[in-house]
Amino acid sequence: MGLLSLFRSKSSSASLAKERLQLVIAHERTNRGSPSYLPMMKQDIVSVIRKYVEIDEDEVQVSMESDENCELLELNITLPQFGAGGTEDNGDIKG
Amino acid sequence: MGLLSLFRSKSSSASLAKERLQLVIAHERTNRGSPSYLPMMKQDIVSVIRKYVEIDEDEVQVSMESDENCELLELNITLPQFGAGGTEDNGDIKG
């Protein structure tokens, strides 16, 4: 319950009726010597999300923090707007 | 910053020096008519996590909440203990 209200309150001030996906992975580690796999896992998780929604690489904000025994990876993804038309343009390929 | 302390404070009271992975996905939806893909996405994400760490299905706690325009999926995974020996047994195949 607490988490839901936290996520809502964090976002409501900034949101302009955009669809968003926010993902937080926290890894509590007892053994700090082991390498962190969160950065690699992040890529795989973004690929999973892509199976379900179209996301633009530019619209993925990543932040990572860590302290003594906890690593935290946060992804904030603004999703493309559907439902208000959904017309896709001519599909320009840039570059 | 706030999130890290939240995750830590949530877990520190309950943790007995166990490794844990906590994953939260929040989906803010503007269009409630669209079906939720979080439950399916959850399965795929658990598969991704399995690529990096061995997890036991029994050690994955899932909770899902939603309100008017936000869906929240939370996974709490207790990871197997390594580093205190790491001897794997004879690899019995059950069944």
Side-chain angles (χ1 to χ4, degrees):
Chain A
M1 303 295 168
L3 277 180
L4 185 60
S5 60
L6 181 91
F7 277 89
R8 290 202 60 209
S9 64
K10 265 180 69 114
S11 52
S12 60
S13 57
S15 82
L16 295 160
K18 283 193 175 176
E19 293 239 350
R20 269 162 221 264
L21 206 59
Q22 191 171 17
L23 201 136
V24 179
I25 311 175
H27 183 196
E28 274 181 79
R29 305 205 283 169
T30 50
N31 179 7
R32 292 185 61 212
S34 57
S36 169
Y37 44 75
L38 288 198
M40 285 182 299
M41 197 186 276
K42 183 209 84 181
Q43 269 312 117
D44 286 348
I45 288 176
V46 169
S47 302
V48 163
I49 295 170
R50 281 233 165 78
K51 285 173 57 179
Y52 296 94
V53 274
E54 276 184 63
I55 54 178
D56 191 337
E57 202 72 60
D58 294 343
E59 300 290 353
V60 181
Q61 287 184 312
V62 181
S63 67
M64 193 152 173
E65 338 168 10
S66 60
D67 72 5
E68 211 179 330
N69 46 22
C70 190
E71 273 187 320
L72 198 134
L73 177 73
E74 191 179 342
L75 299 179
N76 279 289
I77 303 166
T78 305
L79 302 177
Q81 299 282 52
F82 293 122
T87 52
E88 286 183 27
D89 273 30
N90 52 13
D92 269 350
I93 296 166
K94 292 173 194 162
Chain B
M1 302 298 167
L3 276 180
L4 185 60
S5 58
L6 181 92
F7 277 89
R8 290 201 60 208
S9 64
K10 265 181 70 112
S11 49
S12 59
S13 57
S15 83
L16 296 161
K18 283 194 177 177
E19 293 239 350
R20 267 161 222 266
L21 206 59
Q22 191 171 18
L23 201 136
V24 179
I25 311 174
H27 184 195
E28 275 181 78
R29 306 206 284 170
T30 50
N31 179 6
R32 293 185 60 212
S34 57
S36 169
Y37 44 75
L38 288 198
M40 284 181 299
M41 197 186 277
K42 184 209 83 181
Q43 268 313 115
D44 286 347
I45 287 175
V46 169
S47 303
V48 163
I49 295 170
R50 281 232 165 79
K51 284 173 58 177
Y52 296 93
V53 276
E54 277 184 62
I55 55 177
D56 190 339
E57 201 75 59
D58 294 344
E59 300 290 352
V60 181
Q61 288 185 310
V62 181
S63 67
M64 193 154 175
E65 342 170 4
S66 60
D67 73 4
E68 209 179 329
N69 46 21
C70 190
E71 271 187 321
L72 198 133
L73 177 74
E74 192 180 342
L75 299 179
N76 279 290
I77 303 167
T78 306
L79 303 177
Q81 298 283 54
F82 292 122
T87 53
E88 284 183 31
D89 273 33
N90 52 13
D92 270 349
I93 296 166
K94 293 174 194 161

